[in-house]
Amino acid sequence: MTYSTALITGASRGIGAATATALAGSGIQLIGVHYRRDQRAAEDTATRLRSLGATPILIQADLAEGEPAAAAIAKAWNQALAAHGYSGTDVFVSNAGINGAQSLAELDPETYARVQAVNLTAPLFLLHHLADSLNDGGRIVAVSTGYTRIAAPTHLAYTASKAGLEGALRAVAPELAQRGITVNCVAPGVIDTDLNADWINQAGAREGAGRLSAFGRIGTPEDVAEVITFLTSDRSRWITGQTIDTTGGSLL
Ligand code: NAD
């Protein structure tokens, strides 16, 4: 099975940009580069994709708007597919997300609602709006978090959103399997991206976070993108409804 089209949310930087680059390297031809507001970063991703022979399609939307944002992304992506002569979506990577670190004492309704909208509501409705355009044998991967396995009292709203996404994708996996479509999550540990920019460069923080991993370092966006690339290839055809730990063996 050859895959030609992929939509990736949050592909302007971090894990999403690394995934877009890896998928272009694996031969995907049309790549939807969704981003929130940093058009320059999205253009940088697009330039890398072009240099690898892929055609990037930039799609702007704020996932904090929930379902309407999801509908707008699906509409723009489906129009791009038709304009470039493709029949549908081969690969959908739901990557965009926000951290929203909050403990039980800190929990506030606004932050909670925003985290759920970006990390759970918008991704699930994007899958809903894309469902008809998914090609048989397609691949869906969502980026969850190792915190669905490892207790993180500092990240309550975040963990709830990602655990919800894992559960919803597991629930939909049998239905989509009837069309040969696989649905999986990856669950990264601490990765060197802007998501952690507020603390990772503080004295000793990087080393301390690295010690959580069995390999003694924090992960790179490419460490996760490689696993996503496998899960979006034909080689992963016998895996669905699963969450693949990509924490570098953190807190085993
Ligand atoms: P990042 O901050 O570099 O990238 C996040 C991406 O999501 C960006 O492209 C950003 O534009 C997009 N995004 C954020 N809010 C958005 C919104 N409201 N609307 C649309 N897009 C929005 O961080 P990253 O580490 O590359 O994060 C990618 C995914 O990996 C996220 O889902 C995150 O939860 C998950 N993750 C990251 C880590 C880590 O340590 N970095 C660990 C576990 C899971």
Side-chain angles (χ1 to χ4, degrees):
M1 177 110 195
T2 309
Y3 297 110
S4 303
T5 63
L7 172 64
I8 306 162
T9 61
S12 54
R13 63 178 200 235
I15 295 168
T19 299
T21 305
L23 291 188
S26 78
I28 300 262
Q29 289 154 7
L30 191 77
I31 300 185
V33 176
H34 160 264
Y35 65 103
R36 179 177 52 145
R37 62 178 177 202
D38 192 346
Q39 187 166 350
R40 181 177 290 187
E43 295 281 5
D44 287 346
T45 301
T47 300
R48 271 199 304 282
L49 300 187
R50 278 190 209 97
S51 74
L52 291 163
T55 301
I57 304 294
L58 268 57
I59 301 173
Q60 190 279 329
D62 187 345
L63 299 187
E65 292 167 14
E67 189 278 333
I73 295 168
K75 188 176 174 192
W77 173 240
N78 284 331
Q79 284 172 349
L81 287 171
H84 287 79
Y86 290 100
S87 60
T89 306
D90 292 324
V91 172
F92 168 43
V93 180
S94 176
N95 163 77
I98 53 173
N99 204 342
Q102 285 198 310
S103 68
L104 188 58
E106 294 160 345
L107 207 57
D108 74 82
E110 291 75 24
T111 308
Y112 177 85
R114 183 175 174 81
V115 171
Q116 305 313 313
V118 174
N119 292 359
L120 175 58
T121 309
L124 192 53
F125 276 96
L126 185 47
L127 181 56
H128 164 80
H129 286 298
L130 287 175
D132 287 343
S133 90
L134 292 173
N135 286 329
D136 289 359
R139 297 282 180 265
I140 296 159
V141 178
V143 182
S144 180
T145 171
Y147 286 163
T148 59
R149 170 176 66 85
I150 300 162
T154 50
H155 285 71
L156 220 50
Y158 181 70
T159 303
S161 68
K162 296 289 192 178
L165 188 58
E166 285 185 20
L169 293 195
R170 187 178 174 84
V172 84
E175 180 187 331
L176 291 177
Q178 292 170 25
R179 296 163 52 195
I181 299 168
T182 65
V183 189
N184 293 291
C185 294
V186 294
V190 181
I191 307 296
D192 199 356
T193 70
D194 289 350
L195 195 83
N196 301 314
D198 56 332
W199 64 274
I200 198 77
N201 291 318
Q202 290 169 13
R206 188 175 292 267
E207 294 71 22
R211 280 194 292 275
L212 296 174
S213 158
F215 299 112
R217 65 168 175 86
I218 64 170
T220 66
E222 290 73 22
D223 289 333
V224 181
E226 294 282 359
V227 183
I228 296 174
T229 303
F230 168 68
L231 290 173
T232 57
S233 73
D234 188 52
R235 291 169 294 149
S236 63
R237 61 192 170 275
W238 207 234
I239 303 173
T240 198
Q242 304 303 308
T243 295
I244 308 300
D245 189 289
T246 51
T247 66
S250 290
L251 298 177
L252 287 172

